[in-house]
């Protein structure tokens, strides 16, 4: 009897199972395709006497709908579990877990930016120059005599034009940022007020107190009537801003080829307050920079009329200032990138 067959199938449909897409398709073919079991029942339905058509027709439609929805349900379940397993194979278990710790600013960057900030408040702008330089900009135009020892191989890294062949060459790694002075003076007209931060290189054995590269900030001010008093005021302002309002400065006569007169500047030791400690070797003073009035020869070499213009210049080591501010005892820490050292600057 058709009715019994329909009821028999109806009791089974909700139990249909499939483990994969192929099995779902097999069920569809078995029941719903042209040659499927349910389609066959529709063929048999034609023979049903008229008075039973209504009842059996309803049952048959119910069977087809229930089978369709069961098969759809099985298909959806499989798709969801496939997506989930795809997600789990995309999981990267080597990834650093959240929250990912943020990096910290490098102490040299912090100090360089503070120096830039202080001088920008009195009108200095930033200028940059190349690290691979020529003899003219690093030494020649800065009034270094041809035989000046700074040019010596002991100090300067020269760049070989042909690998392995040490011919006389004038291509070198700049040994000080004073080279940016000559670049600025030959390309800009006074008044000039620039600060030149950058990396410099010297042929030194690496130790706690020396490195083959380090960082400097150069300052240059050229205008009419610039005096040594202006230089002193600018440096006093800088020292107080950088190390605190109680800081004193002292200028000692010195020599640099590119300044006349030249001086070295000490600040009152910010560690002992000037009383004398091991850091300042009991003197109460620590040296932080070199400075002076730009030598007229340098102005002329750069095409600036030394009878109309005068100027001052200064140069300081960023590592030195950082040591004073944060008491870092070993220069090598700045370039080793040991996170235990760098993390100490997290809150700065
Ligand atoms: N260039 C010098 C050095 O590397 C530092 C310096 C001294 C720069 C005096 C200056 C200056 O501008 O006037 O040791």
């Amino acid at each position: 009897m058709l009715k019994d067959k329909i009821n028999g199938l109806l009791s089974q449909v909700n139990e249909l199972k499939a483990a994969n897409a192929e099995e779902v398709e097999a069920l569809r073919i078995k029941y719903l395709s042209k040659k499927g079991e349910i389609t066959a029942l529709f063929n048999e339905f034609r023979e049903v006497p008229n008075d039973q058509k209504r009842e059996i027709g309803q049952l048959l439609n119910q069977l087809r709908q229930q089978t369709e929805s069961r098969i759809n349900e099985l298909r959806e379940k499989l798709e969801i579990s496939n997506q989930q397993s795809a997600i789990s194979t995309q999981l990267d278990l080597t990834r650093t877990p959240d929250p990912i710790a943020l990096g910290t600013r490098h102490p040299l960057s912090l100090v360089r930016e503070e120096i830039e900030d202080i001088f920008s408040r009195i009108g200095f702008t930033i200028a940059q120059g190349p690290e691979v330089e020529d003899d003219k900009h690093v030494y020649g135009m800065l009034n270094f005599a041809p035989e000046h020892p700074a040019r010596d191989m002991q100090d300067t890294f020269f760049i070989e034009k042909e690998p392995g062949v040490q011919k006389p060459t004038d291509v070198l790694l700049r040994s000080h940022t004073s080279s940016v002075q000559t670049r600025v003076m030959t390309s800009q007209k006074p008044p000039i007020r620039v600060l030149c931060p950058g990396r410099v290189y010297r042929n030194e054995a690496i130790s706690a107190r020396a490195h083959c590269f380090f960082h400097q900030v150069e300052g240059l001010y050229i205008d009419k009537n610039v005096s040594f008093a202006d230089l002193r005021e600018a440096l006093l302002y800088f020292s107080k801003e950088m190390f605190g309002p109680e800081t004193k400065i002292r200028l000692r006569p010195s020599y640099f080829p590119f300044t006349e007169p030249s001086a070295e500047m000490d600040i009152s030791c910010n560690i002992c307050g000037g009383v004398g400690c091991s850091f300042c070797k009991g003197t109460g003073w620590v040296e932080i920079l070199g400075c002076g009035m730009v030598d007229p020869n340098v102005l002329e070499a750069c095409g600036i009329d030394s009878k109309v213009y005068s100027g001052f210049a200064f140069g300081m080591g960023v590592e030195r200032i950082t040591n004073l501010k944060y008491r870092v005892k070993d220069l090598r820490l700045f370039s080793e990138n040991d996170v235990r050292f760098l993390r100490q600057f997290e809150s700065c």
Side-chain angles (χ1 to χ4, degrees), residues 9 15 42 61 63 126 129 146-147 152 207 235 281 289 306 344:
L9 283 176
E15 306 305 315
F42 273 93
N61 277 329
L63 172 66
I126 305 294
E147 300 305 322
D152 201 292
S207 70
L235 295 178
K281 298 190 188 87
L289 55 81
S306 62
Q344 294 175 42

Side-chain angles (χ1 to χ4, degrees), residues 176 178 181 202 216 218 256 258-259 290-292 313-315:
H176 58 177
S178 305
Q181 277 192 31
R202 284 186 200 173
Q216 289 188 329
E218 183 83 12
F256 299 102
F258 37 93
T259 42
C291 60
F314 57 87

